[in-house]
Amino acid sequence: MAFDIDMIKKLYNNFGSRIAAARQATGKPLTLTEKILYAHLWQGDATTAYARGEDYVEFAPDRVAMQDATAQMALLQFMQAGRTKVAVPSTVHCDHLIQAEVGAVADLSKAKTQNKEVYDFLASVSNKYGIGFWKPGAGIIHQVVLEQYAFPGGMMIGTDSHTVNAGGLGIIAIGVGGADACDVMAGLPWELKFPKLIGVKLTGKLSGWTASKDIILKVAGILTVKGGTGAILEYFGDGATSLSCTGKGTICNMGAEIGATTSIFGYDAKMGEYLRGTGRVEVADGADVIAEHLTGDPEVYINPEQYFDQVIEINLSELEPHINGPFTPDLAWPISKFAEAVKVNGWPETLEVGLIGSCTNSSYEDITRAASVAKQATDNGFKARAEFTITPGSEQVRYTVERDGYLDTFEKMGGVVLANACGPCIGQWARHSTDPNRKNSIVTSYNRNFSKRNDGNPNTHAFVASPEITTALAIAGSLTFNPLTDYLTNDKGEKFKLEEPLGIEMPQKGFAVEDAGFQSPAEDGSKVEVLVSPTSDRLQILEPFKAWEGTDLKGLKLLIKAKGKCTTDHISMAGPWLKFRGHLDNISNNMLIGALNFFNEKTDTVKNQLTGEYGSVPAVQRAYKAAGVGSIVVGDENYGEGSSREHAAMEPRFLGVRAVLVKSFARIHETNLKKQGMLGLTFADKEDYNKILEDDSIDIIGLTGFTPGKQLQLVLNHADGTIDTIYVNHTYNEQQIEWFKAGAALNIIRREFESNK
Ligand code: SF4
């Protein structure tokens, strides 16, 4: 479970000189974000990339973290790299697959049975390749990372969008797709588009009912769900240093809801306290030595407008508690305006369930503040009028708050403690509802509240608030209750007003845990067998893709000409398909089923040129594959936008599609196609999209001279015997052309690794 202190020391030893070089290269003071990015350049030379303002730059992250759902394909791919161990410290966390139904013990036990084959695979593959494995029940990835691994000045990637949570401990932490995680574990650089910089200056101090959560709820209201796109938010100012480390984590966590690449705070005394309190004295000592480098330069914070693309200022002394929602996290309501908004908008006033905890808000401070509210209620003869659940973020937090009596307080109030897992936050919630068609309201201290996110029910109005406000509203059983001004009335008709919550940042007796749920990997994993049943329908060991045959590709059948938007969701749908994410053959049955066929304006209905009949896209493609016939997919603008799901590139490759030709690509998807050994091409003249006909057989000419910057030629053989010849562009560099020739990037890595043995 140990963090890698040698790696951290090495980074810290070089940190100052890298920053000095970066300052010299740019000729200006640096934000914290820039310092950490410079310190992690793959080539280590600050005069390159960023100094020249290049878009995409290669970095060397220090760590990788994976949650159990996304880890499956990342690790199945990693197994193909031929390495004996991961190149950087990595961990797997079993948190997403546990369904909340009756309570922690029963739910966890059921999940272990239902997901046994996935857990067995993840445990064994982790054991073999030097990856730390956090068992089901050990906790939610981001809370565990904050407690165990995050460190100031570092850089990590994680296969989950809320990886950004770790920014609360001063690390640049970014959510990525499984293919990126696989690359970094295999020892390759990781590419990131240089972010915009948004500075958030916090002044004043939180007090009373206002919590860290309210800062990000306010920021979400200001920036909206799109306002952080392509940006890193850097928080600074007296208000920032006054916040607990875990409070900073809450703020960074929900930065994902405004689309931010990540968010970060500079190293300060609160982070030092948290590191020491969670058993990482050496990290705190090391950070203290280079503390000046682990925050932005003073000039930056004195004149932030000169150094950030945008600056926001929030006075914490004036900040009200907020409740955001429903259906979107940026609909921000100060609590003084919320009751009216509920009435005006006709949202259901009765609060049916209050849910606290999750990776976003389950620190010791959060739990103690919420418990101080709960205790006042029980002391005055109240029980929660709404259902109430508590999701601890880790076994360490759960054990400690149980030891200190807080879980008991919640249970007396009528609360149910759920497993240390995502549960309702990711829709793993068997909610007890009498009528799913009834409009209803819930409040959570989670982060996302899009329609159907928590219980799959579009009639559920989900709101987001701090744990203490959620607890107060659950006690009242009403959305319109304002604990700052309103009185509660108990069953005897007695009136009572809740006092302001009181929290404790760090447990006075220290954190404790009996079994944290961690499995160390084997020192020598060579004899460890990776457990995958050949009959499993959830997991399948990958076979390496075949190398290019060395000739031009002729007679490719048009599989589909997609019209309009075609995101990775259209290419590889989520929902029920996610259970097959570790089984490439099975999940390939969703390939392109959401794409609109240009020729008949229908989804999942394309012509099989071998039979002339129409069928589903995967079925037609499987027919081509069985007949040994290659195919081509044609698309519109920004093809492959959306989440960086590697399945959207792997499925066509697996089923025998040879090329994807579009008007333009979303860049990440284009790179994913290249990594899988596919041809990703764009029309040199976008009007040529109109020349592609439904019965075309297409030849790709020029592959034997495939060279960076040189166009390829496509011959469109139409069914009526006529021919069109068009030119297409590509963005392959020398290395990516080698990926194509080898059949996939991983085939090259394996070859290189084997030749160096
Ligand atoms: S608790 Fe929610 S936000 Fe956190 S990792 Fe799990 S699903 Fe994601």
Side-chain angles (χ1 to χ4, degrees):
M1 150 159 122
F3 48 91
D4 193 332
I5 189 64
D6 292 337
M7 174 267 287
I8 297 172
K9 279 185 179 162
K10 197 167 148 211
L11 178 76
Y12 283 0
N13 285 341
N14 295 323
F15 217 82
S17 57
R18 288 201 174 186
I19 306 255
R23 235 184 248 120
Q24 201 176 8
T26 56
K28 69 177 189 69
L30 299 173
T31 62
L32 170 64
T33 306
E34 290 166 310
K35 288 181 183 181
I36 301 179
L37 291 176
Y38 277 129
H40 288 85
L41 288 175
W42 178 254
Q43 301 295 349
D45 177 5
T47 59
T48 59
Y50 198 14
R52 297 202 310 272
E54 282 185 8
D55 252 10
Y56 278 87
V57 181
E58 291 183 334
F59 291 98
D62 304 307
R63 299 199 63 85
V64 174
M66 291 163 281
Q67 43 103 327
D68 47 4
T70 50
Q72 296 168 47
M73 189 51 84
L75 289 168
L76 286 163
Q77 289 184 85
F78 173 78
M79 286 170 68
Q80 292 193 299
R83 295 187 67 104
T84 50
K85 270 194 172 17
V86 283
V88 301
S90 304
T91 48
V92 167
H93 304 259
C94 296
D95 54 1
H96 275 60
L97 305 178
I98 300 166
Q99 189 177 48
E101 191 172 2
V102 286
V105 176
D107 295 348
L108 183 59
S109 159
K110 191 169 168 190
K112 282 182 181 168
T113 308
Q114 280 178 340
N115 302 309
K116 184 173 184 321
E117 60 178 321
V118 173
Y119 295 148
D120 285 351
F121 164 68
L122 293 174
S124 59
V125 75
S126 300
N127 195 18
K128 184 171 182 68
Y129 294 108
I131 299 167
F133 178 70
W134 290 84
K135 300 173 193 170
I140 308 172
I141 176 168
H142 312 305
Q143 179 65 28
V144 174
V145 164
L146 196 73
E147 285 173 8
Q148 307 286 343
Y149 301 119
F151 64 96
M155 174 186 267
M156 65 172 284
I157 59 167
T159 59
D160 187 275
S161 54
H162 291 99
T163 300
V164 294
N165 181 71
L169 240 177
I171 185 170
I172 287 207
I174 299 179
V176 298
D180 284 4
C182 174
D183 285 354
V184 173
M185 290 188 292
L188 294 179
W190 173 66
E191 270 196 340
L192 173 71
K193 186 169 186 175
F194 256 93
K196 285 189 298 177
L197 301 175
I198 299 179
V200 186
K201 182 175 181 180
L202 302 180
T203 60
K205 205 164 188 306
L206 294 176
S207 62
W209 282 89
T210 313
S212 291
K213 181 78 158 201
D214 300 305
I215 300 173
I216 187 60
L217 294 177
K218 171 84 180 168
V219 169
I222 295 169
L223 285 176
T224 77
V225 287
K226 291 214 172 111
T229 307
I232 293 185
L233 272 70
E234 182 171 324
Y235 289 82
F236 61 94
D238 294 349
T241 49
S242 71
L243 302 173
S244 67
C245 178
T246 49
K248 292 176 170 89
T250 296
I251 293 168
C252 293
N253 181 304
M254 249 194 98
E257 271 47 70
I258 51 169
T261 303
T262 192
S263 307
I264 193 162
F265 283 80
Y267 180 63
D268 60 19
K270 297 280 190 183
M271 289 189 196
E273 269 170 41
Y274 187 72
L275 284 168
R276 290 174 207 284
T278 49
R280 291 170 288 173
V281 176
E282 281 174 288
V283 181
D285 289 347
D288 284 343
V289 173
I290 61 157
E292 63 172 308
H293 301 313
L294 297 175
T295 185
D297 285 340
E299 298 90 328
V300 169
Y301 294 155
I302 292 168
N303 291 306
E305 287 79 9
Q306 288 181 20
Y307 302 98
F308 291 99
D309 299 296
Q310 183 180 355
V311 178
I312 295 169
E313 187 166 337
I314 298 173
N315 182 346
L316 304 188
S317 305
E318 295 170 356
L319 185 66
E320 263 191 75
H322 275 61
I323 299 178
N324 287 20
F327 306 127
T328 181
D330 58 355
L331 196 53
W333 303 99
I335 196 151
S336 57
K337 306 265 185 317
F338 184 61
E340 193 191 338
V342 171
K343 292 195 165 98
V344 168
N345 290 289
W347 298 326
E349 285 188 37
T350 302
L351 176 62
E352 297 202 6
V353 195
L355 306 97
I356 67 165
S358 87
C359 70
T360 329
N361 270 106
S362 65
S363 65
Y364 195 81
E365 184 183 31
D366 289 328
I367 298 288
T368 52
R369 278 176 68 84
S372 79
V373 176
K375 181 154 190 330
Q376 294 177 57
T378 51
D379 286 352
N380 283 277
F382 287 84
K383 282 210 166 201
R385 294 204 168 122
E387 275 186 60
F388 186 64
T389 70
I390 306 97
T391 300
S394 72
E395 176 57 13
Q396 178 163 281
V397 161
R398 193 210 62 78
Y399 187 93
T400 307
V401 297
E402 181 179 51
R403 176 200 66 190
D404 296 348
Y406 298 111
L407 292 188
D408 193 40
T409 305
F410 290 131
E411 279 165 352
K412 279 192 188 133
M413 189 185 105
V416 174
V417 180
L418 301 176
N420 313 318
C422 300
C425 184
I426 190 66
Q428 292 274 24
W429 187 19
R431 188 176 165 193
H432 324 282
S433 176
T434 44
D435 177 9
N437 296 321
R438 185 187 67 241
K439 281 189 179 182
N440 71 95
S441 292
I442 64 171
V443 179
T444 81
S445 73
Y446 306 162
N447 41 36
R448 281 199 179 148
N449 61 343
F450 295 115
S451 177
K452 302 195 272 187
R453 162 94 176 171
N454 302 117
D455 61 359
N457 183 354
N459 294 308
T460 297
H461 293 54
F463 297 86
V464 180
S466 68
E468 45 272 52
I469 290 289
T470 304
T471 306
L473 266 57
I475 292 165
S478 168
L479 270 194
T480 55
F481 177 68
N482 178 354
L484 283 75
T485 53
D486 298 348
Y487 283 76
L488 292 162
T489 310
N490 70 10
D491 295 339
K492 294 182 203 148
E494 295 159 351
K495 285 199 158 193
F496 170 69
K497 187 161 181 305
L498 292 167
E499 301 284 333
E500 292 172 351
L502 289 175
I504 305 167
E505 281 181 29
M506 301 287 286
Q508 278 152 5
K509 288 190 261 170
F511 283 107
V513 67
E514 248 170 29
D515 175 7
F518 181 72
Q519 171 194 288
S520 290
E523 271 303 313
D524 172 8
S526 59
K527 302 274 184 308
V528 175
E529 188 195 347
V530 176
L531 301 178
V532 175
S533 158
T535 56
S536 170
D537 63 0
R538 288 175 78 176
L539 291 162
Q540 180 188 39
I541 299 285
L542 296 172
E543 292 291 328
F545 293 131
K546 284 205 182 94
W548 171 54
E549 53 270 65
T551 60
D552 286 336
L553 303 179
K554 297 213 170 145
L556 304 181
K557 301 295 180 200
L558 176 72
L559 175 64
I560 183 171
K561 176 161 140 177
K563 182 179 174 187
K565 216 177 187 35
C566 193
T567 68
T568 48
D569 246 334
H570 295 97
I571 306 170
S572 176
M573 272 195 183
W577 293 96
L578 289 181
K579 66 173 174 292
F580 299 124
R581 64 201 312 166
H583 196 294
L584 185 54
D585 196 358
N586 284 348
I587 200 169
S588 292
N589 288 329
N590 75 356
M591 186 187 76
L592 283 158
I593 61 176
L596 193 67
N597 182 357
F598 176 91
F599 298 107
N600 58 13
E601 304 262 333
K602 289 182 181 166
T603 53
D604 202 21
T605 311
V606 293
K607 188 169 183 181
N608 178 341
Q609 291 192 38
L610 302 178
T611 62
E613 289 173 3
Y614 284 82
S616 79
V617 185
V620 170
Q621 181 54 37
R622 283 187 190 274
Y624 290 151
K625 187 179 184 184
V629 176
S631 69
I632 181 166
V633 167
V634 172
D636 217 316
E637 298 281 7
N638 210 18
Y639 181 90
E641 65 181 297
S643 69
S644 67
R645 194 170 301 152
E646 65 267 37
H647 297 84
M650 296 180 80
E651 293 174 24
R653 179 73 173 103
F654 175 72
L655 289 184
V657 177
R658 303 302 301 270
V660 178
L661 169 64
V662 298
K663 289 184 184 170
S664 64
F665 275 113
R667 190 178 183 284
I668 292 176
H669 183 62
E670 183 183 21
T671 307
N672 282 346
L673 287 171
K674 291 176 181 175
K675 283 181 188 165
Q676 302 302 339
M678 293 274 289
L679 279 174
L681 309 171
T682 52
F683 291 101
D685 178 355
K686 290 182 182 178
E687 290 300 312
D688 287 346
Y689 174 86
N690 298 319
K691 293 183 181 162
I692 308 279
L693 303 181
E694 191 172 25
D695 292 302
D696 280 354
S697 279
I698 299 172
D699 307 331
I700 301 179
I701 310 295
L703 289 173
T704 48
F706 196 9
T707 314
K710 189 174 164 196
Q711 288 181 326
L712 296 169
Q713 204 181 38
L714 258 64
V715 180
L716 314 178
N717 302 290
H718 303 306
D720 64 1
T722 59
I723 287 176
D724 272 309
T725 300
I726 63 171
Y727 286 88
V728 294
N729 297 331
H730 69 82
T731 59
Y732 287 69
N733 59 29
E734 295 282 3
Q735 184 197 36
Q736 291 164 340
I737 289 173
E738 290 309 311
W739 296 349
F740 166 73
K741 289 181 176 169
L746 282 171
N747 291 352
I748 300 240
I749 299 171
R750 188 174 57 251
R751 213 159 60 197
E752 284 170 359
F753 200 74
E754 277 164 5
S755 67
N756 289 336
K757 264 186 191 167

